[in-house]
Amino acid sequence: MPMTDKRERLIYTAADLFHRQGYHRTTFADVAEASGVPMGNIYYYYKTKGDLAAAVIDQREAEYVKLRAAWEGALEPRARLRSWLDTIIGGCDGLVAHGCPFGGLSHELDKEGGPLADKADATTTRLIEWSAKQFRQMGLKDPHALGVEFVARMQGVILVAGIMRDAGEFRRQMDRVRAWLDSL
Amino acid sequence: MPMTDKRERLIYTAADLFHRQGYHRTTFADVAEASGVPMGNIYYYYKTKGDLAAAVIDQREAEYVKLRAAWEGALEPRARLRSWLDTIIGGCDGLVAHGCPFGGLSHELDKEGGPLADKADATTTRLIEWSAKQFRQMGLKDPHALGVEFVARMQGVILVAGIMRDAGEFRRQMDRVRAWLDSL
DNA sequence: CTGGGTGTTGGATGGTTATCCAACTCACCA
DNA sequence: TGGTGAGTTGGATAACCATCCAACACCCAG
């Protein structure tokens, strides 16, 4: 049963293409070529483009679960949030070049509506709630608003630095977010 | 020469559809139906979809020029930035429902590359520079970084509040941006 | 060896899309 | 009045796309 291998190859290829080209610009033919899996065979694993997108979202959700577990290795909630920030900063190049892989997909799917959009949104919501929890553990007032602010700031920096195509500005702005975090 | 009328109708229709459905999801047929201009006739005015998009970007640039002039009615640079913020807050519903009309288009075009992306990016850059100028006039250190931060925060709030589909959170977060602005 | 099931494949299909065109309207002027 | 050209129109076209399928390869149980 080496199908797992192929399934994963398809998911990772699709995730990468969705990130770089966007969901709508990416065709099954693109996925076929990039993954080396013939188009006819892709369909054996994922009956529709939506199914493939759902699998990509699931994969990312699983990835975030793992990441959150890693960030929770830090004892202090503030340090956990800093870990997240560091993870983001580590992905600087890809983020500046193509935007947030998840935010972008989410935004695109939102314009379609439907269950896929909800699924993507739920993943983002979980991330916001996780950061709100950290702020709550820090004993701060209005932790939910702080959580939203934290995520919004990171997303905003990714978007604007992407438009400016300026990795230096990206880092500078993320440092500002870190300074804000440390000042709370 | 009532062609101006039709040209504008096409631009506004396209701008609206690009905002609500996204650029790629919007077809010439959509624009034709929504504007009441037959497809064959659209082509008389705009030879390609890219031409239409360029016209939309130009129209938005012109709109921002007017808006900036209005915001500059305020004498204090801080008040000018507040005017911008108020303009954004006034568009709450549309922004939460469909994202930033310009940021979204910019992001989508960036994934295509090409001169259209540069054109869109330039408009955003001008907005950032304008806000940097206000921070400079306030005598603050590192006005450029502040300008980027201001725009990034607004964009981030629009994006995240859109994903959460929460107009209340949108307003709450924008109030936080205003508080930050007032604290500088 | 053999039948059936799991995978695999290239190409077919039906619908959509941007783009283009040949013919038409009609106001204006020589 | 006949000609001219800007503006208009529905439909043609060629490409592309997600989806589907009929046939094929391979493997293991009987």
mmCIF file of all heavy atoms in Angstrom, chain B residues 27-28 39 43 49, chain C residues 17-21:
data_model
loop_
_atom_site.group_PDB
_atom_site.id
_atom_site.type_symbol
_atom_site.label_atom_id
_atom_site.label_comp_id
_atom_site.label_asym_id
_atom_site.label_seq_id
_atom_site.Cartn_x
_atom_site.Cartn_y
_atom_site.Cartn_z
ATOM 1 N N THR B 27 -15.380 36.790 -14.815
ATOM 2 C CA THR B 27 -15.221 36.614 -16.254
ATOM 3 C C THR B 27 -15.762 37.831 -16.995
ATOM 4 O O THR B 27 -16.518 38.625 -16.445
ATOM 5 C CB THR B 27 -15.996 35.374 -16.734
ATOM 6 O OG1 THR B 27 -17.389 35.707 -16.789
ATOM 7 C CG2 THR B 27 -15.811 34.213 -15.787
ATOM 8 N N PHE B 28 -15.351 37.928 -18.244
ATOM 9 C CA PHE B 28 -15.886 38.996 -19.082
ATOM 10 C C PHE B 28 -17.410 38.895 -19.155
ATOM 11 O O PHE B 28 -18.098 39.916 -19.200
ATOM 12 C CB PHE B 28 -15.287 38.897 -20.487
ATOM 13 C CG PHE B 28 -14.146 39.835 -20.693
ATOM 14 C CD1 PHE B 28 -13.056 39.823 -19.845
ATOM 15 C CD2 PHE B 28 -14.169 40.764 -21.719
ATOM 16 C CE1 PHE B 28 -12.010 40.709 -20.030
ATOM 17 C CE2 PHE B 28 -13.129 41.654 -21.914
ATOM 18 C CZ PHE B 28 -12.042 41.618 -21.068
ATOM 19 N N MET B 39 -20.818 41.651 -24.363
ATOM 20 C CA MET B 39 -19.411 41.251 -24.375
ATOM 21 C C MET B 39 -18.639 41.811 -25.566
ATOM 22 O O MET B 39 -17.526 42.293 -25.427
ATOM 23 C CB MET B 39 -19.299 39.732 -24.381
ATOM 24 C CG MET B 39 -19.307 39.132 -23.008
ATOM 25 S SD MET B 39 -18.715 37.448 -23.071
ATOM 26 C CE MET B 39 -17.180 37.656 -23.955
ATOM 27 N N TYR B 43 -15.133 44.595 -25.538
ATOM 28 C CA TYR B 43 -13.845 44.434 -26.193
ATOM 29 C C TYR B 43 -13.465 45.649 -27.031
ATOM 30 O O TYR B 43 -12.303 45.906 -27.309
ATOM 31 C CB TYR B 43 -13.848 43.179 -27.074
ATOM 32 C CG TYR B 43 -12.464 42.756 -27.424
ATOM 33 C CD1 TYR B 43 -11.644 42.159 -26.468
ATOM 34 C CD2 TYR B 43 -11.937 42.995 -28.693
ATOM 35 C CE1 TYR B 43 -10.351 41.809 -26.776
ATOM 36 C CE2 TYR B 43 -10.654 42.636 -29.006
ATOM 37 C CZ TYR B 43 -9.855 42.038 -28.038
ATOM 38 O OH TYR B 43 -8.584 41.690 -28.328
ATOM 39 N N LYS B 49 -8.430 41.430 -20.743
ATOM 40 C CA LYS B 49 -8.837 41.479 -19.336
ATOM 41 C C LYS B 49 -7.818 42.301 -18.545
ATOM 42 O O LYS B 49 -8.177 43.037 -17.627
ATOM 43 C CB LYS B 49 -8.916 40.053 -18.785
ATOM 44 C CG LYS B 49 -9.668 39.935 -17.469
ATOM 45 C CD LYS B 49 -9.726 38.477 -17.019
ATOM 46 C CE LYS B 49 -10.424 38.366 -15.674
ATOM 47 N NZ LYS B 49 -10.414 36.975 -15.176
ATOM 48 P P DT C 17 -16.960 30.932 -17.225
ATOM 49 O OP1 DT C 17 -16.805 31.253 -15.806
ATOM 50 O OP2 DT C 17 -18.172 31.339 -17.968
ATOM 51 O "O5'" DT C 17 -15.705 31.471 -18.020
ATOM 52 C "C5'" DT C 17 -14.418 30.872 -17.810
ATOM 53 C "C4'" DT C 17 -13.461 31.366 -18.857
ATOM 54 O "O4'" DT C 17 -13.602 30.558 -20.043
ATOM 55 C "C3'" DT C 17 -13.731 32.795 -19.298
ATOM 56 O "O3'" DT C 17 -12.788 33.661 -18.701
ATOM 57 C "C2'" DT C 17 -13.598 32.778 -20.819
ATOM 58 C "C1'" DT C 17 -13.301 31.339 -21.178
ATOM 59 N N1 DT C 17 -14.124 30.808 -22.301
ATOM 60 C C2 DT C 17 -13.492 30.420 -23.453
ATOM 61 O O2 DT C 17 -12.290 30.495 -23.600
ATOM 62 N N3 DT C 17 -14.334 29.937 -24.427
ATOM 63 C C4 DT C 17 -15.716 29.817 -24.362
ATOM 64 O O4 DT C 17 -16.373 29.376 -25.300
ATOM 65 C C5 DT C 17 -16.301 30.246 -23.125
ATOM 66 C C7 DT C 17 -17.794 30.153 -22.946
ATOM 67 C C6 DT C 17 -15.496 30.713 -22.160
ATOM 68 P P DA C 18 -12.900 35.238 -18.965
ATOM 69 O OP1 DA C 18 -12.344 35.884 -17.759
ATOM 70 O OP2 DA C 18 -14.258 35.554 -19.398
ATOM 71 O "O5'" DA C 18 -11.901 35.466 -20.170
ATOM 72 C "C5'" DA C 18 -10.518 35.249 -19.968
ATOM 73 C "C4'" DA C 18 -9.786 35.283 -21.296
ATOM 74 O "O4'" DA C 18 -10.465 34.455 -22.256
ATOM 75 C "C3'" DA C 18 -9.706 36.680 -21.922
ATOM 76 O "O3'" DA C 18 -8.399 36.876 -22.452
ATOM 77 C "C2'" DA C 18 -10.785 36.648 -23.008
ATOM 78 C "C1'" DA C 18 -10.823 35.191 -23.401
ATOM 79 N N9 DA C 18 -12.155 34.720 -23.827
ATOM 80 C C8 DA C 18 -13.340 34.893 -23.176
ATOM 81 N N7 DA C 18 -14.380 34.360 -23.785
ATOM 82 C C5 DA C 18 -13.830 33.799 -24.919
ATOM 83 C C6 DA C 18 -14.400 33.075 -25.986
ATOM 84 N N6 DA C 18 -15.708 32.783 -26.080
ATOM 85 N N1 DA C 18 -13.569 32.652 -26.957
ATOM 86 C C2 DA C 18 -12.258 32.929 -26.869
ATOM 87 N N3 DA C 18 -11.613 33.591 -25.915
ATOM 88 C C4 DA C 18 -12.466 34.003 -24.957
ATOM 89 P P DT C 19 -8.006 38.233 -23.097
ATOM 90 O OP1 DT C 19 -6.554 38.342 -23.015
ATOM 91 O OP2 DT C 19 -8.871 39.279 -22.527
ATOM 92 O "O5'" DT C 19 -8.398 38.031 -24.623
ATOM 93 C "C5'" DT C 19 -7.825 36.946 -25.347
ATOM 94 C "C4'" DT C 19 -8.476 36.804 -26.697
ATOM 95 O "O4'" DT C 19 -9.854 36.368 -26.548
ATOM 96 C "C3'" DT C 19 -8.535 38.082 -27.543
ATOM 97 O "O3'" DT C 19 -7.699 37.896 -28.671
ATOM 98 C "C2'" DT C 19 -10.015 38.230 -27.905
ATOM 99 C "C1'" DT C 19 -10.546 36.822 -27.680
ATOM 100 N N1 DT C 19 -11.994 36.700 -27.406
ATOM 101 C C2 DT C 19 -12.774 35.967 -28.283
ATOM 102 O O2 DT C 19 -12.330 35.431 -29.285
ATOM 103 N N3 DT C 19 -14.103 35.884 -27.944
ATOM 104 C C4 DT C 19 -14.724 36.450 -26.844
ATOM 105 O O4 DT C 19 -15.919 36.296 -26.652
ATOM 106 C C5 DT C 19 -13.853 37.202 -25.980
ATOM 107 C C7 DT C 19 -14.420 37.868 -24.745
ATOM 108 C C6 DT C 19 -12.549 37.292 -26.289
ATOM 109 P P DC C 20 -7.344 39.112 -29.628
ATOM 110 O OP1 DC C 20 -5.985 38.874 -30.146
ATOM 111 O OP2 DC C 20 -7.674 40.360 -28.940
ATOM 112 O "O5'" DC C 20 -8.357 38.918 -30.853
ATOM 113 C "C5'" DC C 20 -8.411 37.643 -31.473
ATOM 114 C "C4'" DC C 20 -9.678 37.548 -32.313
ATOM 115 O "O4'" DC C 20 -10.832 37.564 -31.447
ATOM 116 C "C3'" DC C 20 -9.881 38.697 -33.313
ATOM 117 O "O3'" DC C 20 -9.740 38.162 -34.612
ATOM 118 C "C2'" DC C 20 -11.290 39.221 -32.993
ATOM 119 C "C1'" DC C 20 -11.907 38.059 -32.209
ATOM 120 N N1 DC C 20 -12.991 38.425 -31.246
ATOM 121 C C2 DC C 20 -14.289 37.934 -31.456
ATOM 122 O O2 DC C 20 -14.510 37.231 -32.444
ATOM 123 N N3 DC C 20 -15.270 38.246 -30.566
ATOM 124 C C4 DC C 20 -14.986 39.010 -29.511
ATOM 125 N N4 DC C 20 -15.990 39.281 -28.658
ATOM 126 C C5 DC C 20 -13.672 39.511 -29.264
ATOM 127 C C6 DC C 20 -12.715 39.201 -30.151
ATOM 128 P P DC C 21 -9.557 39.118 -35.900
ATOM 129 O OP1 DC C 21 -8.594 38.463 -36.817
ATOM 130 O OP2 DC C 21 -9.326 40.484 -35.401
ATOM 131 O "O5'" DC C 21 -10.985 39.054 -36.569
ATOM 132 C "C5'" DC C 21 -11.603 37.779 -36.744
ATOM 133 C "C4'" DC C 21 -13.057 37.956 -37.102
ATOM 134 O "O4'" DC C 21 -13.833 38.228 -35.906
ATOM 135 C "C3'" DC C 21 -13.329 39.128 -38.052
ATOM 136 O "O3'" DC C 21 -14.177 38.678 -39.074
ATOM 137 C "C2'" DC C 21 -14.034 40.151 -37.157
ATOM 138 C "C1'" DC C 21 -14.785 39.217 -36.213
ATOM 139 N N1 DC C 21 -15.237 39.830 -34.938
ATOM 140 C C2 DC C 21 -16.567 39.658 -34.533
ATOM 141 O O2 DC C 21 -17.336 39.010 -35.246
ATOM 142 N N3 DC C 21 -16.966 40.211 -33.358
ATOM 143 C C4 DC C 21 -16.094 40.892 -32.615
ATOM 144 N N4 DC C 21 -16.517 41.419 -31.460
ATOM 145 C C5 DC C 21 -14.740 41.069 -33.007
ATOM 146 C C6 DC C 21 -14.352 40.529 -34.169
#
